[in-house]
């Protein structure tokens, strides 16, 4: 198909497609004349993946390139591809807590990783983010919010077991890799949306009752 | 304290503090002379909160203003403050799925909300994000990743119950409001970091074994 059809079928504007081609996020089409290229279904599929990462995953373009490289790295062991995606989608947190607060949080996170038996790279960016987040909760006087850390971790672990089992239902290694990569990025959006909904529900039940004064009964 | 001390104690540069003052994220100091102002502990506290929202929560400045307004809205019922924070921190998703895919996902999400008995506003932005995310998983050929949707929701619900119970341990209404608001925003960072760590662990155990060929035994 020509670029105009690729645009109409994907819903992505032609200048945006050209930008992705220049940035090599999208492989070039097959030249059918000196200034005419033809695109296939794999371009359409790749374009949809890019839009999903950018629009829903809110992944910056530079990191999209790294995520796509992990999808395409057929000879790389799957666990290493997951690591590459993690590094791409986890920003190094800016350090705002004090060194002392960070040291306390780091010890707590080390104890958590130990008690849950998690095999994680000591340089994993998510580890630094977790440490900084806990330290910042404390620096804002919100110590009580991080008391149930181990229980938080257990609930998230359950979520992740479900995700990984779902991805692992694909047996073809390349399909599995694509599933793992897409699941890693978009699963973040999924868990965030589910959390806000569950929270709104909990808030309606617990906080609504706790803080609003009884008003006149409303008609059913 | 003067602005220089506010800067050194908070770690936030003076021009950035002046920007927050101009943008009214930070209330003005008390004038001690025509061009000299004095700042108090409440400024330091507010500055730390702004940095936490911006740096860790990755909340854009315009939305930080809305979050702070919710913290300060002492006469607003707590559940409404939570709603205001949710609207501030949930971007409306760009629509990338097809209308047909979105309709299927919307029916599925409606069934989920019904089966879990969630009391959520039909206009909640997280609902639109969840629908779009599920539709996009499908459009990328990843239907299998959203099969355990109800179980995902149960795991996230457990996480949220813990969060809300922790926040509710604060009994003073204004402290409770601050806890709920900070918890809503930074809890997002916390759950994301925990998920990446749990995922790295699951990946090391399951995918590492599943996809790498057995090598020579390593010394213990």
């Amino acid at each position: 198909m020509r670029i105009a059809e690729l645009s109409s079928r994907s819903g992505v504007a032609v200048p945006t497609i050209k930008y992705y081609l220049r940035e090599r996020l999208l492989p070039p089409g097959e030249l059918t004349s000196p200034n005419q290229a033809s695109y296939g279904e794999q371009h359409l599929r790749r374009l949809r993946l890019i839009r999903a990462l950018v629009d829903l995953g809110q992944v910056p373009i530079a990191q999209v390139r790294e995520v796509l490289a992990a999808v395409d790295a057929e000879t790389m062991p799957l666990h290493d591809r997951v690591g590459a995606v993690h590094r791409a989608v986890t920003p190094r947190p800016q350090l705002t807590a004090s060194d002392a607060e960070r040291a306390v949080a780091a010890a707590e996170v080390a104890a958590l990783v130990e008690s849950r038996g998690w095999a994680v790279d000591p340089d994993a960016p998510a580890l630094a983010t977790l440490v900084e987040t806990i330290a910042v909760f404390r620096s804002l006087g919100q110590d009580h919010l991080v008391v149930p850390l181990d229980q938080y971790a257990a609930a998230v672990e359950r979520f992740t077991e479900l995700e990984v089992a779902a991805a692992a239902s694909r047996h073809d290694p390349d399909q599995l890799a694509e599933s793992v990569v897409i699941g890693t990025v978009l699963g973040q959006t999924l868990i965030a949306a589910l959390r806000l909904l569950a929270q709104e529900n909990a808030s309606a039940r617990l906080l609504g009752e706790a803080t609003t004064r009884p008003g006149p009964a409303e008609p059913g």
Side-chain angles (χ1 to χ4, degrees), chain A:
Chain A
M1 72 190 98
R2 297 217 182 140
I3 198 167
E5 187 184 344
L6 185 60
S7 168
S8 68
R9 284 185 62 192
S10 65
V12 180
V14 169
T16 306
I17 296 177
K18 288 185 172 170
Y19 169 68
Y20 294 154
L21 287 165
R22 279 199 308 277
E23 292 288 318
R24 297 182 182 271
L25 298 180
L26 203 59
E30 192 184 334
L31 281 183
T32 53
S33 80
N35 52 12
Q36 187 91 257
S38 171
Y39 301 90
E41 292 299 319
Q42 77 280 20
H43 287 92
L44 186 60
R45 191 179 166 91
R46 179 50 53 100
L47 207 42
R48 288 193 174 132
L49 176 54
I50 296 171
R51 294 314 295 181
L53 297 173
V54 172
D55 292 336
L56 267 183
Q58 302 197 293
V59 180
I61 289 291
Q63 276 71 52
V64 168
R65 187 184 290 109
E66 293 174 40
V67 171
L68 295 176
V71 173
D72 295 336
E74 293 178 10
T75 58
M76 191 189 280
L78 195 46
H79 179 57
D80 295 345
R81 296 201 214 182
V82 173
V85 172
H86 280 196
R87 283 190 298 280
V89 301
T90 319
R92 289 256 161 209
Q94 292 210 37
L95 304 181
T96 59
S98 72
D99 290 347
E101 288 161 341
R102 190 173 306 114
V104 171
E108 200 172 1
V109 167
L112 175 77
V113 168
E114 167 86 25
S115 79
R116 300 218 71 81
W118 280 353
V120 293
D121 183 341
D123 288 328
L127 219 42
T129 301
L130 183 60
V131 167
E132 196 66 21
T133 306
I134 290 170
V136 167
F137 267 116
R138 292 251 167 71
S139 79
L140 296 172
Q142 306 294 325
D143 307 55
H144 59 292
L145 289 182
V146 285
V147 168
L149 184 62
D150 194 71
Q151 292 170 283
Y152 288 156
V156 174
E157 204 173 88
R158 171 76 188 131
F159 181 90
T160 302
E161 279 164 10
L162 294 164
E163 282 186 298
V164 172
S169 67
R170 284 284 160 97
H171 298 298
D172 172 85
D174 287 328
Q175 284 193 350
L176 175 58
E178 200 184 36
S179 262
V180 166
V181 169
I182 294 172
T184 298
V185 180
L186 294 190
Q188 197 83 279
T189 311
L190 188 78
I191 197 173
L194 284 172
R195 173 175 170 270
L196 288 174
L197 294 172
Q199 209 175 55
E200 183 179 333
N201 173 59
S203 159
R205 284 173 202 275
L206 298 176
L207 306 179
E209 287 168 19
T211 55
T212 50
R213 295 173 196 291
E218 286 177 26

